Amino acid sequence: MSDLTTTTATGAGAGAGAGETGASGDTGIDARLEGHRTELTGYCYRMLGSAFEAEDAVQDTLVRAWRNFDKFEGRSSLRSWLYRIATNVCLDMLNAGNKRARPVDLTGPTPLAQAALTPRPENVWLEPMPDGRVLPTVQDPAEAAVARESVRLAFIAALQHLPPKQRAVLILREVLAWKAAEVAELLETSVASVNSALQRARATLTERAGRVPDAADPLDEEQQKLLERYVKAFEGYDMAALTALLHEDAVMTMPPFDLWLRGTSDITGFMTTIGAACAGSRLVPVPANGSPGFAHYKPDPEGSGFVPWAVQVIDIQDGAVSGMHCFLDVERWFPLFGLPDRLPAATAGE
């Protein structure tokens, strides 16, 4: 099957695209299935919390659909049929015990004096995701805003606390705007069970709700200026300027290490001690998880130019940077985001 393609709006409910049913002599099966890849990847990512597992789940979904297309009877839309398959694939994966977390979900903050970089296996961590792989183009600004908010790291992390079927119900009902009857049909259960699961899921998310980052869709003028000052301070390794931009309770996380820091003094102290090798770095904007993000390149210790160091996902709250989430496994993240494997020295001074 072909590569990633653009699809249509995600929030119109299960019945959207009912005209897709039946054989399509012009577009072909592959094209029709591929047209749903982006929204299905967004759904599976919300379910699984892993970029790579989500893409595997979608590929499995499309392969199953392709192999069984002759059994698709058109009693529902092609879209809802694909979501049924994707849901079953994700539930099977989640029943195997998959659950993702952020460092802040596993331990308390570490004082700088006790900071130690202890890695955990990659299957522990919530993973970042490029916007373009999970956010289809939509015309309705409100719909686009909901989609972006629902792939924020904090929301994906909160979903991890829900049992698998509750997770599916909440995503289908709250994010994708499916009707309770449509979700009940997909999950082969009753409307009453769907409504009960949704109520329990909402209660759990309310309990787990922490500090909510400000909306960033699109960035307003003040947020844009804040990020410009952040880039200038970070690239100049100006800790006084960076401190002025950070929320007093800002956090810094660095998966695959379980260490995380809270507060401006510990964050900047870490950057000038254990993280001192990042002085003189370059930041390249990259959209991630419906949030501002940057590809972080640090000076090449073996020569000129800059080499990959992290994908940063930035939270903004009350006009300040409240979260710096630095994903350090660059051999996985930079290819996923389509980023170059180095920057030339010519970028210095630009």
Side-chain angles (χ1 to χ4, degrees), residues 40-331:
L40 289 172
T41 304
Y43 175 62
C44 293
Y45 176 64
R46 295 177 184 103
M47 286 288 291
L48 302 171
S50 164
F52 295 102
E53 287 183 358
E55 295 200 329
D56 287 346
V58 172
Q59 189 62 25
D60 190 1
T61 296
L62 297 183
V63 168
R64 292 187 190 189
W66 189 85
R67 289 175 175 170
N68 292 282
F69 199 79
D70 59 336
K71 300 177 184 178
F72 174 56
E73 298 175 350
R75 288 179 294 184
S76 63
S77 72
L78 174 61
R79 180 172 180 258
S80 61
W81 184 60
L82 290 171
Y83 269 93
R84 181 191 295 271
I85 299 172
T87 299
N88 289 333
V89 170
C90 289
L91 291 177
D92 286 344
M93 295 174 73
L94 290 168
N95 286 336
N98 297 29
K99 183 178 179 181
R100 301 283 176 154
R102 303 169 298 172
V104 298
D105 301 317
L106 300 179
T107 66
T110 303
L112 178 60
Q114 301 173 20
L117 298 178
T118 305
R120 295 203 189 190
E122 66 181 38
N123 63 0
V124 169
W125 301 116
L126 192 71
E127 297 178 348
M129 178 64 100
D131 283 0
R133 290 182 180 260
V134 293
L135 296 176
T137 301
V138 298
Q139 301 302 319
D140 183 348
E143 205 171 286
V146 169
R148 286 187 176 277
E149 291 300 306
S150 68
V151 294
R152 301 285 285 273
L153 288 173
F155 183 77
I156 301 295
L159 289 174
Q160 302 298 299
H161 296 283
L162 299 178
K165 285 196 175 181
Q166 282 187 30
R167 201 179 305 182
V169 167
L170 185 121
I171 296 167
L172 291 166
R173 293 281 285 119
E174 301 279 86
V175 177
L176 300 178
W178 284 39
K179 297 177 181 178
E182 294 170 332
V183 178
E185 181 181 359
L186 182 146
L187 294 176
E188 298 181 343
T189 187
S190 67
V191 170
S193 294
V194 167
N195 289 336
S196 177
L198 179 60
Q199 185 177 13
R200 295 196 302 273
R202 285 170 172 167
T204 300
L205 259 60
T206 298
E207 291 175 3
R208 294 287 178 176
R211 188 170 56 198
V212 179
D214 293 344
D217 179 34
L219 293 171
D220 61 31
E221 184 177 356
E222 289 304 313
Q223 290 171 330
Q224 291 174 350
K225 289 180 179 178
L226 173 66
L227 290 173
E228 289 170 2
R229 294 195 297 270
Y230 173 80
V231 170
K232 183 177 180 181
F234 196 101
E235 292 187 342
Y237 237 56
D238 183 339
M239 294 300 113
L242 186 61
T243 296
L245 303 176
L246 294 178
H247 194 283
E248 61 181 5
D249 291 327
V251 301
M252 181 178 183
T253 67
M254 293 162 281
F257 302 115
D258 57 12
L259 168 73
W260 65 279
L261 304 161
R262 171 180 282 157
T264 56
S265 60
D266 278 358
I267 291 173
T268 57
F270 179 89
M271 291 176 65
T272 54
T273 54
I274 298 174
C278 290
S281 292
R282 293 292 176 265
L283 299 182
V284 177
V286 58
N289 289 89
S291 305
F294 298 99
H296 174 186
Y297 292 82
K298 71 173 186 176
D300 187 345
E302 300 180 357
S304 62
F306 303 86
V307 293
W309 182 245
V311 169
Q312 296 185 9
V313 181
I314 303 298
D315 292 333
I316 297 174
Q317 184 188 27
D318 301 330
V321 173
S322 60
M324 302 162 60
H325 306 290
C326 307
F327 295 89
L328 304 181
D329 191 353
V330 295
E331 291 185 359

